[in-house]
Amino acid sequence: MPVHNVDIAAKLDEVADLLEIEGANPFRIRAYRNAARTLRDLNRDVPTMLESGEALTELPGIGKDLAAKIQDIVATGTTGVLEEHRKALPPTLTELLKIPGLGPKRVKALYRALGIQRLQGLHQAAKEGRLRTLPGFGEKLERHILHELEARAGSEGRFKLAVAAQYVDSLVAYLKTSPGVKQIVVAGSYRRAKETVGDLDILVTASSGSPVMDRFVSYGEVEEVLAKGNTRATVRLTCKLQVDLRVVTDKSYGAALQYFTGSKAHNIVLRQLAQQQGLKINEYGVFREDRYLAGKTEESVYAAVGLPWIQPELRENRGEFEAAQAGRLPALVELSDLRGDLHAHTKATDGRNSLKEMALAARNRGFEYLAICDHSKRLAMTHGLDPKRLTEQMDEIDRLNATLSGLTLLKGIEVDILEDGSLDLPDEVLSRLDLVVAAVHSHFDLSRDKQTKRILRAMDRPYFTILAHPSGRLIQEREPYDVDLPRIIRKARERQCALELNAHPERLDLTDTYCQVAKEEGVLVSINSDAHSILDLDNLRFGVGQARRGWLEKTDVLNTRPLNALRPLLQRTM
Ligand code: DGT
Ligand code: CA
Ligand code: CA
């Protein structure tokens, strides 16, 4: 039974996918997509809401009809409309839609003409050069499909951090109620806030191991127990996520936490440092000969080799040891350091809440400011703003700002960077805004040189404040476009503009390593939610996780500034 919002959302998306392939009414498709997004972004658990008798129709984008279908899914694992469409077409066709370049029409053609139903069949056909023969395909698309399929092979079976987080929360809550459990912590790549995780590594301290193990393997979502002993067990959940659980003693807790947090590359260096000092580090502790020296806390493990404690997000062997030895570890930015958000949408384009709803939600989260940056006119499918509608929105912002206390709305736009590097609105219009967030939304396949020049040219415009989602990648779904980011980062320094770290869990773009480059070049990074609903404002925490992996400190982040210090930084001088 799907008990998590992400699982229910996946079923709704599946309906939408199948409807799309069948060529159904776009409004109907959109309704399922919106509902799926609402559930994904929701910070409360739908089955629990239903149990306590709360109406789902209170949620944005969910009417009576959809509420009933969601109830079906929670109760039975499926709903009538899904089963109907699964009969009409092979349900595996929806896998194919995930490949950029393959829309519903092409997927249908692949199925009708070549009988392709899954990614595997698609890969085979592409390798054999059979795709290019189909009308509307061609050699270039075939190569592109092959590239995409091969690029994603390495990330197969991994889970986006935000998706894993949903599974973690309920599992940890469940384990906490085991008899004798003292501490419980999720280690591994999850603790390092890596953008995707391969499996979960949970550590528990308890008076005795076996009751915890028994409780772990009888968790309702366990599909298969892969291994089970007194102090360690591995299971696979029904969502296919694997979980390792280890019960450790208090004496070894810090050593085990250090060991299982990783990364492997970090641990190898740490053990070498220990060896050079005649020490041995393992998951039980730090030892000289066979004498136990430390291991109760992580701090004690690092201290034993003469190092300060290193934040988990830095543990990738990317310079953290040198920094630790030199006493120059960064004081990483924290969620509470953010004073506002510089990229949010409203109903005026493809957001789902009104200006006022967004403002109140931002104020509730303690923000001092929120920049409204709806799309510009070129993005017609989002009903992008032309100068007239943008002016109306600016007036509305003035009116709201006059009545709101505690929060300032900033006037912005997410303006499209056109193919030739010009911006989708004239300078005269942009000059009246507080900030201009600019983004690439089309022509992803330009050559590296053209793509780079396109963006550099846009950055040369007099009103250009922040480059949104600089690489354009979607995690596990779309490769970044081919672009010279170091050159763009140098340009940002020269032009004194900022780069966005888009906090949406599917983007997290800038990536961690480019955050480090930006910091080294002295370019400010803005951690923005790109919220399309009030719920999305909570995604900032994932952006902060990525920023921490990129070594960013409070001062490296544009939106840690209070409004009065922010304003001059938004102002363009050239
Ligand atoms: P993942 O699960 O692929 O997202 O990445 P991790 O980092 O969670 O890796 P995982 O689950 O294989 O192992 C958890 C931690 O345990 C890892 O970060 C470091 C430690 N570890 C595992 N295997 C080894 C090993 O062979 N050598 C060392 N030094 N550490 C290991
Ligand atoms: Ca792991
Ligand atoms: Ca593991």
Side-chain angles (χ1 to χ4, degrees):
M1 292 301 127
V3 286
H4 294 285
N5 296 353
V6 282
D7 303 319
I8 306 167
K11 307 262 176 195
L12 297 175
D13 265 333
E14 191 183 339
V15 176
D17 286 345
L18 290 168
L19 286 173
E20 250 188 327
I21 298 170
E22 284 169 27
N25 178 334
F27 287 101
R28 201 167 155 223
I29 298 167
R30 179 85 66 95
Y32 283 100
R33 292 259 185 254
N34 284 343
R37 197 162 71 176
T38 297
L39 297 195
R40 257 195 204 99
D41 296 343
L42 198 61
N43 46 18
R44 315 191 28 231
D45 194 42
V46 166
T48 318
M49 287 177 68
L50 288 172
E51 252 167 56
S52 59
E54 287 175 71
L56 299 180
T57 46
E58 298 291 302
L59 300 173
I62 297 186
K64 259 200 186 143
D65 184 48
L66 272 162
K69 285 175 177 134
I70 293 169
Q71 248 165 323
D72 276 352
I73 294 175
V74 172
T76 70
T78 185
T79 176
V81 61
L82 177 58
E83 290 308 309
E84 250 168 63
H85 291 282
R86 279 177 171 173
K87 279 187 202 125
L89 283 172
T92 50
L93 287 183
T94 57
E95 291 173 16
L96 306 182
L97 282 178
K98 298 228 165 73
I99 304 297
L102 287 188
K105 284 208 185 88
R106 285 187 173 138
V107 168
K108 200 169 177 176
L110 286 168
Y111 174 59
R112 295 263 185 259
L114 301 176
I116 292 173
Q117 303 188 18
R118 327 174 147 264
L119 291 178
Q120 213 185 344
L122 181 67
H123 195 185
Q124 196 60 34
K127 275 195 297 195
E128 290 166 6
R130 286 188 283 132
L131 300 186
R132 64 183 71 174
T133 59
L134 287 185
F137 277 75
E139 238 183 286
K140 189 173 169 199
L141 181 60
E142 184 180 78
R143 260 202 317 278
H144 168 77
I145 290 172
L146 203 55
H147 170 76
E148 286 288 341
L149 287 170
E150 280 162 9
R152 69 186 49 213
S155 66
E156 218 153 275
R158 296 187 67 83
F159 286 70
K160 290 187 192 83
L161 188 62
V163 173
Q166 293 216 8
Y167 297 115
V168 167
D169 292 345
S170 41
L171 176 56
V172 167
Y174 168 88
L175 287 173
K176 271 201 179 125
T177 59
S178 307
V181 163
K182 287 183 269 183
Q183 305 183 75
I184 175 163
V185 60
V186 186
S189 50
Y190 187 84
R191 184 166 180 240
R192 304 197 313 276
K194 220 176 144 177
E195 60 199 32
T196 63
V197 303
D199 74 349
L200 295 176
D201 307 276
I202 302 183
L203 289 187
V204 170
T205 56
S207 39
S208 149
S210 52
V212 184
M213 288 303 156
D214 290 341
R215 187 158 169 83
F216 177 52
V217 298
S218 43
Y219 183 51
E221 287 173 47
V222 168
E223 181 178 83
E224 196 183 341
V225 178
L226 302 170
K228 179 172 180 266
N230 275 336
T231 58
R232 53 189 299 174
T234 301
V235 303
R236 187 176 56 238
L237 303 180
T238 46
C239 64
K240 309 298 174 200
L241 182 59
Q242 275 196 25
V243 187
D244 284 341
L245 181 79
R246 285 182 186 76
V247 179
V248 300
T249 62
D250 288 329
K251 229 176 130 182
S252 296
Y253 177 71
L257 181 55
Q258 195 294 315
Y259 182 89
F260 291 110
T261 295
S263 64
K264 202 167 157 178
H266 174 90
N267 287 358
I268 289 171
V269 176
L270 185 68
R271 268 179 298 168
Q272 283 167 350
L273 286 177
Q275 269 167 15
Q276 288 161 12
Q277 303 172 39
L279 301 172
K280 192 175 92 189
I281 295 191
N282 58 28
E283 61 260 55
Y284 302 105
V286 185
F287 301 86
R288 186 182 301 279
E289 304 297 322
D290 280 332
R291 195 162 54 87
Y292 169 94
L293 295 181
K296 225 173 140 111
T297 63
E298 275 194 325
E299 284 83 351
S300 73
V301 173
Y302 284 100
V305 291
L307 291 175
W309 181 73
I310 298 176
Q311 304 261 23
E313 295 91 337
L314 298 179
R315 300 183 195 169
E316 299 288 349
N317 192 25
R318 291 202 290 238
E320 70 273 22
F321 287 104
E322 293 80 351
Q325 279 157 342
R328 269 196 260 110
L329 281 171
L332 299 179
V333 61
E334 292 179 23
L335 184 59
S336 58
D337 290 331
L338 300 189
R339 304 294 280 263
D341 186 346
L342 295 177
H343 182 176
H345 296 266
T346 73
K347 264 185 181 162
T349 62
D350 61 346
R352 283 189 294 154
N353 290 98
S354 67
L355 202 52
K356 184 162 182 191
E357 287 164 345
M358 291 301 287
L360 295 179
R363 191 174 67 178
N364 273 339
R365 283 162 177 79
F367 293 0
E368 196 187 330
Y369 48 84
L370 176 72
I372 300 300
C373 297
D374 267 315
H375 289 289
S376 64
K377 63 190 192 319
R378 175 61 65 103
L379 273 195
M381 62 179 187
T382 69
H383 195 36
L385 301 178
D386 59 16
K388 180 164 170 283
R389 289 178 55 227
L390 178 58
T391 307
E392 285 162 13
Q393 187 180 63
M394 291 166 71
D395 291 343
E396 199 186 338
I397 289 176
D398 282 334
R399 283 195 297 276
L400 259 174
N401 275 340
T403 59
L404 270 178
S405 63
L407 180 103
T408 302
L409 288 171
L410 296 173
K411 298 171 191 163
I413 185 92
E414 181 179 6
V415 68
D416 246 57
I417 299 176
L418 305 183
E419 187 181 0
D420 64 358
S422 58
L423 299 178
D424 190 23
L425 290 169
D427 289 345
E428 176 275 316
V429 174
L430 300 179
S431 72
R432 289 153 45 212
L433 295 164
D434 294 311
L435 77 164
V436 173
V437 173
V440 165
H441 289 120
S442 62
H443 304 284
F444 295 126
D445 56 356
L446 296 185
S447 70
R448 184 180 181 82
D449 186 52
K450 277 200 176 134
Q451 194 70 274
T452 305
K453 285 195 175 131
R454 169 194 192 183
I455 296 174
L456 294 177
R457 180 157 177 240
M459 293 171 91
D460 263 329
R461 304 303 311 150
Y463 304 98
F464 182 110
T465 329
I466 300 173
L467 177 63
H469 39 77
S471 86
R473 64 102 177 241
L474 295 176
I475 299 171
Q476 295 173 315
E477 277 171 34
R478 187 171 73 207
E479 291 293 294
Y481 34 74
D482 195 5
V483 74
D484 186 349
L485 273 177
R487 204 165 149 204
I488 285 171
I489 292 170
R490 289 195 299 275
K491 180 76 165 187
R493 182 190 54 194
E494 183 190 311
R495 296 287 295 143
Q496 302 268 299
C497 49
L499 298 180
E500 176 176 87
L501 193 181
N502 189 296
H504 195 284
E506 291 178 1
R507 288 194 182 271
L508 296 176
D509 178 11
L510 284 183
T511 56
D512 45 12
T513 45
Y514 282 115
C515 283
Q516 253 182 311
V517 177
K519 179 192 172 103
E520 280 157 18
E521 293 285 344
V523 170
L524 289 173
V525 172
S526 188
I527 304 176
N528 295 341
S529 71
D530 193 2
H532 284 70
S533 75
I534 56 178
L535 305 168
D536 287 346
L537 294 171
D538 296 325
N539 285 336
L540 285 174
R541 70 183 174 114
F542 297 110
V544 170
Q546 183 86 326
R548 291 167 62 87
R549 288 180 59 80
W551 291 57
L552 299 190
E553 301 181 86
K554 185 174 175 181
T555 50
D556 302 319
V557 177
L558 177 63
N559 50 325
T560 58
R561 308 291 195 279
L563 185 59
N564 56 4
L566 175 77
R567 281 201 190 274
L569 293 170
L570 301 179
Q571 221 78 66
R572 300 308 312 282
T573 49
M574 312 172 253

